Amino acid sequence: MTAFRFHKSSYSATSSECVEVARNIPRTVGVRDSKRPDGPVIVLGPAAWDAFQDELVRSD
């Protein structure tokens, strides 16, 4: 399996809590805690990721 390549949001401060997202694998979105790079990864399909992002915008 291809390794995820995670990226932290440009909105995050270097010491703040943040998630990292990997979108380098087709039809897959990986999400992890930036403070635990060796910890668990949540794997989502693109539709689930889009729904999650839409909900964040509505909650803002």
Side-chain angles (χ1 to χ4, degrees), residues 32-51:
R32 72 177 181 189
D33 184 340
S34 63
K35 294 180 300 190
R36 297 184 61 201
D38 295 326
V41 174
I42 298 170
V43 179
L44 304 168
W49 176 248
D50 291 343

Side-chain angles (χ1 to χ4, degrees), residues 5-57:
R5 289 191 303 258
F6 286 95
H7 300 278
K8 194 161 120 173
S9 170
S10 61
Y11 292 100
S12 301
T14 55
S15 62
S16 296
E17 298 173 356
C18 185
V19 296
E20 296 177 324
V21 178
R23 299 198 71 167
N24 62 299
I25 299 174
R27 297 175 303 282
T28 304
V29 179
V31 182
R32 72 177 181 189
D33 184 340
S34 63
K35 294 180 300 190
R36 297 184 61 201
D38 295 326
V41 174
I42 298 170
V43 179
L44 304 168
W49 176 248
D50 291 343
F52 172 71
Q53 288 184 299
D54 289 345
E55 188 60 33
L56 289 176
V57 171

